[in-house]
């Protein structure tokens, strides 16, 4: 079989894999010396890569940061290897079709990693009914997105405030509050729609809120207010963004919450953040503040040491005391 490019070879191997029920990945280039260049493609369950002595030595010296996660690789040695002498025309050097794992059924092929594609262009293709109906290329979509980002520039905060203000004007149940500092920089956002308010009216007895640490481009803290419905599922009660995790910031956020919902919750559950604790005492004056048991039990090992924490008798006695409401406070402390 003669192939004109590496991309054509990989496309061919992917088409074979899609019919067979497995996923693929690019392997790389095999050091073969001289002017002969060899490329290979493997099964995503990890194909076989021929290594020279120098490659093995370099790999043994390379330091990798270990990650505690499972693996789907089984050491499968299925592969397609191509080679070229002149750099223009490739021929198949070897083809291994032996797999040591089960194949994916035809109905689930599209969920394999090699065939999952979600982009602006592919969404447009689905919407229009095919590539021929889009009237643009992938590069056109990328350039359009870059022009939008360039147009927005530093006015994205203004656009968010404007959009939220419009919602508040036209949607009766929509609440929105924001704050800025002396330099007119956005320091806080809070919003809750009609569904959030319906959830709060039904499930307002116990709420929790937690700060997700600075996962956006502006390093703002995302705070989510959550309740539990009658089916023990989470329901969203509101959300906010804060520039700082300070007492004043949390006080502003909680005051915005009370202003939007018109009342305080009966019980509030948080982690052991001291700023949250003081803000709750001042703003949610009628609410009972409790600490999250998951955070408390997670710190047991740090407090008592791993040796004692892994002791079965200690764990049993600890859980019997903590996970019960039949022990009086004096007995619990003792």
């Amino acid at each position: 079989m003669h192939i004109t490019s590496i991309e054509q070879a990989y496309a061919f191997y992917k088409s074979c894999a899609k019919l067979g029920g497995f996923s693929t990945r690019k392997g790389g280039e095999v050091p073969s010396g001289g002017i002969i260049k060899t490329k290979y493609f493997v099964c995503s369950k990890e194909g076989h890569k021929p290594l020279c002595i120098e490659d093995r030595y370099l790999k043994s010296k390379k330091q990798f940061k270990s990650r505690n996660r499972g693996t789907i690789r089984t050491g499968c040695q299925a592969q397609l290897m191509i080679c070229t002498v002149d750099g223009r025309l490739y021929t198949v050097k070897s083809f291994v079709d032996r797999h040591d794992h089960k194949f994916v059924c035809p109905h689930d092929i599209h969920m394999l990693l090699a065939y999952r594609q979600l982009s602006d262009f592919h969404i447009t293709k689905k919407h229009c009914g095919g590539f021929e109906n889009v009237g643009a290329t992938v590069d056109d979509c990328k350039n359009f997105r870059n022009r939008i980002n360039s147009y927005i520039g530093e006015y994205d905060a203004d656009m968010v405030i404007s959009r939220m203000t419009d919602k508040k004007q036209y949607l009766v149940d929509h609440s929105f509050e924001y704050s800025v500092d002396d330099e007119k920089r956005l320091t806080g956002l809070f919003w809750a729609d009609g569904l959030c308010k319906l959830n709060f009216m039904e499930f307002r007895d116990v709420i929790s809120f937690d700060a997700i640490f600075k996962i956006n481009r502006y390093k703002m803290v995302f705070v989510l207010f959550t309740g539990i419905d009658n089916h023990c599922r989470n329901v969203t009660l509101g959300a906010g963004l804060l520039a700082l995790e300070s007492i004043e910031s949390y006080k502003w956020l909680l005051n915005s919450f009370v202003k939007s919902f018109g009342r305080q919750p009966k019980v509030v559950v948080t982690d052991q953040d001291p700023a949250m604790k003081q803000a709750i005492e001042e703003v949610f004056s009628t609410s009972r503040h409790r600490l999250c048991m998951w955070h408390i039990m997670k710190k047991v090992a740090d407090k008592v040491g791993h040796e004692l924490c892994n002791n079965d008798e200690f764990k049993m006695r600890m859980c019997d005391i903590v996970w019960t409401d039949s022990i009086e406070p004096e007995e619990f402390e003792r």
Side-chain angles (χ1 to χ4, degrees), residues 285-296:
S285 56
T286 62
S287 303
R288 303 185 72 180
H289 181 207
R290 292 293 179 263
L291 300 179
C292 172
M293 284 297 299
W294 183 84
H295 286 95
I296 293 174

Side-chain angles (χ1 to χ4, degrees), residues 73-271:
R73 298 188 180 183
T74 62
C76 179
Q77 297 193 9
Q79 66 173 267
L80 170 69
M81 187 178 295
I82 59 174
C83 66
T84 181
V85 176
D86 56 8
R88 291 178 296 178
L89 191 65
Y90 290 84
T91 58
V92 175
K93 185 176 182 180
S94 69
F95 178 70
V96 180
D97 197 26
R98 296 188 303 272
H99 295 265
D100 61 354
H101 54 86
K102 294 181 179 179
F103 295 128
V104 177
C105 67
H107 297 293
D108 297 328
I109 291 292
H110 66 285
M111 295 302 296
L112 289 174
L113 184 60
Y115 314 117
R116 295 203 309 262
Q117 294 181 345
L118 182 62
S119 65
D120 298 338
F121 189 71
H122 282 82
I123 292 174
T124 306
K125 181 205 73 171
K126 290 291 185 182
H127 179 72
C128 296
F131 286 113
E132 65 278 4
N133 300 324
V134 173
T137 65
V138 174
D139 290 335
D140 292 334
C141 293
K142 290 180 179 179
N143 293 333
F144 180 70
R145 182 178 58 188
N146 291 335
R147 287 196 299 270
I148 290 178
N149 292 334
S150 177
Y151 173 78
I152 292 174
E154 299 178 356
Y155 298 100
D156 47 359
D158 295 331
M159 295 174 67
V160 169
I161 293 173
S162 176
R163 182 172 178 81
M164 290 288 191
T165 303
D166 290 341
K167 283 190 173 184
K168 187 176 180 179
Q169 180 180 355
Y170 293 105
L171 300 176
V172 179
D173 294 333
H174 189 84
S175 294
F176 166 62
E177 302 290 337
Y178 73 95
S179 65
V180 295
D181 59 15
D182 295 336
E183 300 179 4
K184 302 299 181 182
R185 293 179 300 185
L186 186 67
T187 58
L189 281 174
F190 174 80
W191 65 94
D193 58 16
L195 181 58
C196 292
K197 293 186 177 182
L198 288 175
N199 288 333
F200 182 77
M201 293 303 296
E202 295 293 332
F203 315 112
R204 63 177 181 268
D205 290 345
V206 181
I207 74 166
S208 69
F209 71 94
D210 193 13
I212 302 176
F213 185 71
K214 300 179 181 179
I215 58 174
N216 48 75
R217 62 180 293 188
Y218 296 111
K219 306 300 181 184
M220 297 184 78
V221 179
F222 177 66
V223 183
L224 186 66
F225 293 84
T226 309
I228 302 293
D229 66 8
N230 292 333
H231 302 282
C232 296
R233 295 179 301 189
N234 293 337
V235 290
T236 301
L237 306 178
L241 285 169
L242 296 176
L244 298 173
E245 288 187 281
S246 63
I247 297 174
E248 294 302 320
S249 296
Y250 281 121
K251 286 173 61 177
W252 175 87
L253 185 67
L254 298 183
N255 278 316
S256 299
F257 184 93
V258 174
K259 182 179 179 180
S260 299
F261 292 98
R263 64 184 69 189
Q264 301 178 19
K266 294 182 179 179
V267 179
V268 182
V269 180
T270 69
D271 60 12

